[in-house]
């Protein structure tokens, strides 16, 4: 709740992420030409890479401002379990950076001549995948808190962990674009990632925050 | 009751203090004194659990604070060098959030009253970034008025405050001690007490003395 109020006060931060995604996605048709077949082929990959980078961009700020003004310390000292607080913060972060990407996905579909059902698949895949990005990213953000050059280190730490999500996320969109109707397996794996991240990430993040605050 | 036995802390390779022993009964005030860099802040952060001690134990009512975890943090208010308030939120919102997180059942009126008592009447609805340093400190200190915790750990609480606010804070601290609370603070100002006992702890010297 608190983070949402804060974000409303600083609307530009949210829009930056969204516009970053749109611009990265739009650059490819400009650079690679507007040939329909090529664009259709690269669309899933481009959309996911852009989503990764966009969520990466906002991650640094997840805990940094709380750390700087001492509110993070206060949070660690509340009688609330840190697990819940972290989950709340990550959820707020996802609402502001992940969810907008899901809604902007049809625009990507339009630019890349994706068939309608593939656009639907992409939205669903992003809906399941982006929370995983936020959750996994939170661990990295907590670990690199207060370090010099933390942003670059964060990318090095987190991007490799994003790879599995990207492979399956992009895979399901490609499969759907080629007309495959049985996508159950892809979604099962993506949901599996989500459940795993949902359970383990807040614990790891809370532990990392305690270390960083020392 | 807070008991510290054989506490040792170090930062990096530097040993700050070893073999620190003291205990605080309800209704007592502890001054932590010492030159810069003798580990005053580290001691305070260790007691509230933000910093891990090398060795030794911190007991709250006879139980280790680490095993008490959330039951202990409920009893503690810590105010450090940072005010712990969000610049983009108003004083009112800041306090509302911190009381919710602290698990205290506080009404809107109580928050308004606390801010009024801290001399922030008319500033309740402004984002704290437009307030002065002293006013921000007052917002942070207003938390003390709304809290039901027993143990207050205050790191240089008087910095940036004007004379009137210092007086006010001193009376708030005295009142808390009268009610059977425990206050640990680092400062150079004396707090006039009507009852209760004052202990002093000087860091950076060979022997720790209790007065």
């Amino acid at each position: 709740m608190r983070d949402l109020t804060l974000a409303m006060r600083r609307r530009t931060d949210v829009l930056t992420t969204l516009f970053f995604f749109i611009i990265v996605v739009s650059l490819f048709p400009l650079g690679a030409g507007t040939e329909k077949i090529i664009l259709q082929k690269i669309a899933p990959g481009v959309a996911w890479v852009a989503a990764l980078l966009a969520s990466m961009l906002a991650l640094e700020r997840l805990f940094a401002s709380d750390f700087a003004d001492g509110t993070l310390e206060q949070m660690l000292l509340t009688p609330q379990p840190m697990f819940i607080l972290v989950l709340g913060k990550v959820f707020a972060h996802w609402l502001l950076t992940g969810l907008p990407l899901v809604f902007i996905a049809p625009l990507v579909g339009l630019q890349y001549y994706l068939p309608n059902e593939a656009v639907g698949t992409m939205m669903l895949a992003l809906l399941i995948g982006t929370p995983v990005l936020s959750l996994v990213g939170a661990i990295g953000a907590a670990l690199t808190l207060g370090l010099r050059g933390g942003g670059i280190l964060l990318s090095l730490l987190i991007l490799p962990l994003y790879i599995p999500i990207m492979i399956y996320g992009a895979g399901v969109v490609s499969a759907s674009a080629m007309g495959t109707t049985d996508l159950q397996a892809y979604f099962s794996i993506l949901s599996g990632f989500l459940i795993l991240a949902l359970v383990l990430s807040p614990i790891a993040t809370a532990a990392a925050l305690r270390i960083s605050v020392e | 009751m807070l008991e510290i036995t054989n506490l040792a802390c170090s930062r990096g390779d530097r040993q700050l203090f070893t073999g620190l022993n003291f205990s605080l009964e309800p209704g007592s005030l502890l001054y932590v004194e010492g030159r810069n860099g003798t580990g005053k802040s580290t001691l305070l952060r260790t007691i509230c659990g933000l910093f891990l001690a090398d060795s030794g134990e911190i007991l709250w009512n006879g139980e280790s604070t680490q095993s008490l975890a959330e039951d202990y943090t409920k009893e503690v208010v810590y105010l450090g060098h940072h005010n712990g308030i969000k610049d983009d939120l108003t004083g009112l919102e800041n306090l509302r959030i911190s009381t919710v997180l602290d698990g205290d059942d506080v009404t809107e009126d109580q928050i308004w009253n606390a801010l009024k008592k801290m001399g922030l009447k008319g500033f309740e609805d402004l984002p704290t970034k437009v307030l002065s340093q002293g006013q921000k400190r007052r917002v942070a200190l207003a938390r003390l008025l709304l809290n039901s915790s027993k143990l207050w750990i205050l790191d240089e609480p008087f910095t940036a405050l004007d004379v009137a606010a210092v007086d006010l804070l001193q009376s708030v601290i005295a009142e808390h001690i009268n009610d059977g609370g425990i206050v640990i603070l680092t400062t150079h100002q004396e707090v006039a007490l009507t009852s209760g006992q004052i202990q002093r702890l000087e860091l950076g010297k060979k022997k720790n003395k209790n007065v």
Side-chain angles (χ1 to χ4, degrees):
Chain A
M1 238 347 261
R2 164 177 167 283
D3 279 42
L4 291 182
T5 329
L6 262 181
M8 290 314 286
R9 291 286 147 83
R10 268 193 228 149
R11 239 159 280 172
T12 44
D13 275 9
V14 181
L15 291 179
T16 319
T17 319
L18 192 59
F19 278 111
F20 179 82
F21 179 76
I22 296 172
I23 287 171
V24 169
V25 166
S26 310
L27 279 178
F28 278 86
L30 295 175
T34 47
E35 222 170 312
K36 193 174 169 179
I37 304 149
I38 298 176
L39 284 182
Q40 265 181 347
K41 254 201 165 134
I42 61 169
V46 169
W48 271 93
V49 169
L52 294 197
L53 294 176
S55 81
M56 196 84 236
L57 197 70
L59 264 182
E60 265 180 85
R61 284 192 303 266
L62 181 55
F63 298 113
S65 68
D66 284 354
F67 180 65
D69 60 20
T71 37
L72 189 64
E73 290 174 352
Q74 296 297 347
M75 264 189 240
L76 286 169
L77 289 176
T78 58
Q80 318 296 333
M82 205 51 202
F83 182 91
I84 304 292
L85 291 182
V86 168
L87 210 56
K89 273 195 79 72
V90 173
F91 182 67
H93 179 258
W94 173 74
L95 277 184
L96 299 169
T97 62
L99 202 57
L101 299 188
V102 176
F103 291 117
I104 210 77
L107 187 72
V108 182
L110 217 63
Q111 276 180 318
Y112 288 80
Y113 308 104
L114 282 181
N116 281 341
E117 54 275 25
V119 172
T121 313
M122 180 149 78
M123 287 179 75
L124 193 57
L126 280 173
L127 189 66
I128 304 173
T130 45
V132 186
L133 301 184
S134 295
L135 283 163
V136 173
I139 306 175
L143 277 174
T144 55
L145 202 59
L147 297 180
R148 252 172 297 132
I152 297 158
L153 190 59
L154 179 65
S155 328
L156 290 176
L157 269 176
I158 292 303
L159 279 178
L161 297 174
Y162 279 175
I163 291 172
I165 305 150
M166 195 189 82
I167 291 173
Y168 289 105
V172 68
V173 182
S174 299
S176 160
M178 275 185 279
T180 322
T181 45
D182 189 23
L183 304 166
Q184 192 68 42
Y186 286 102
F187 281 121
S188 299
I189 289 179
L190 280 178
S191 313
F193 283 140
L194 177 58
I195 292 165
L196 203 65
L198 209 55
V199 175
L200 296 179
S201 154
I203 301 174
T205 309
L209 283 178
R210 281 187 192 283
I211 298 168
S212 292
V213 164
E214 271 204 4
Chain B
M1 188 168 117
L2 184 76
E3 282 171 279
I4 309 272
T5 47
N6 253 330
L7 197 70
C9 279
S10 57
R11 277 225 113 128
D13 289 335
R14 212 161 58 87
Q15 191 78 43
L16 288 170
F17 47 82
T18 51
L20 195 64
N21 290 295
F22 64 86
S23 67
L24 293 170
E25 304 282 339
S28 58
L29 171 78
L30 175 74
Y31 282 113
V32 181
E33 295 167 340
R35 284 175 292 113
N36 295 139
T38 47
K40 297 189 296 289
S41 295
T42 307
L43 173 64
L44 262 48
R45 291 174 68 88
T46 310
I47 294 173
C48 56
L50 287 172
F51 191 84
L52 211 59
D54 294 346
S55 64
E57 270 198 291
I58 305 165
L59 304 176
W60 176 253
N61 291 334
E63 274 188 81
S64 159
T65 51
Q66 265 175 332
S67 62
L68 282 172
E70 274 118 25
D71 287 329
Y72 173 64
T73 50
K74 193 166 61 192
E75 297 294 336
V76 180
V77 192
Y78 168 73
L79 190 66
H81 294 289
H82 297 296
N83 287 328
I85 54 174
K86 281 270 145 208
D87 271 353
D88 287 319
L89 299 181
T90 67
L92 211 55
E93 288 166 326
N94 266 305
L95 287 175
R96 198 181 302 139
I97 289 161
S98 72
T99 50
V100 167
L101 285 176
D102 283 337
D104 291 321
D105 202 12
V106 173
T107 61
E108 203 77 343
D109 283 346
Q110 282 173 295
I111 300 179
W112 282 91
N113 282 337
L115 283 169
K116 195 171 141 196
K117 196 175 169 196
M118 288 314 293
L120 290 167
K121 198 172 177 359
F123 295 100
E124 299 98 335
D125 266 342
L126 291 173
T128 47
K129 67 181 162 202
V130 303
L131 301 182
S132 77
Q133 278 303 324
Q135 286 172 321
K136 282 184 205 172
R137 200 70 179 163
R138 285 169 186 242
V139 174
L141 289 167
R143 276 183 57 216
L144 296 175
L145 301 172
L146 298 168
N147 218 290
S148 55
S149 303
K150 282 268 180 313
L151 176 61
W152 290 2
I153 299 178
L154 311 173
D155 200 350
E156 301 281 358
F158 299 108
T159 44
L161 292 181
D162 59 21
V163 182
V166 169
D167 285 344
L168 181 63
L169 180 56
Q170 288 186 338
S171 68
V172 170
I173 290 174
E175 202 177 302
H176 181 62
I177 287 168
N178 269 336
D179 293 344
I182 302 176
V183 179
I184 302 177
L185 58 87
T186 63
T187 183
H188 307 289
Q189 315 251 356
E190 295 282 327
V191 179
L193 269 188
T194 46
S195 68
Q197 48 175 334
I198 302 180
Q199 291 186 40
R200 277 164 212 283
L201 177 72
E202 193 157 350
L203 292 174
K205 289 229 169 136
K206 282 277 179 293
K207 244 182 82 189
N208 295 314
K209 54 171 184 183
N210 281 342
V211 178

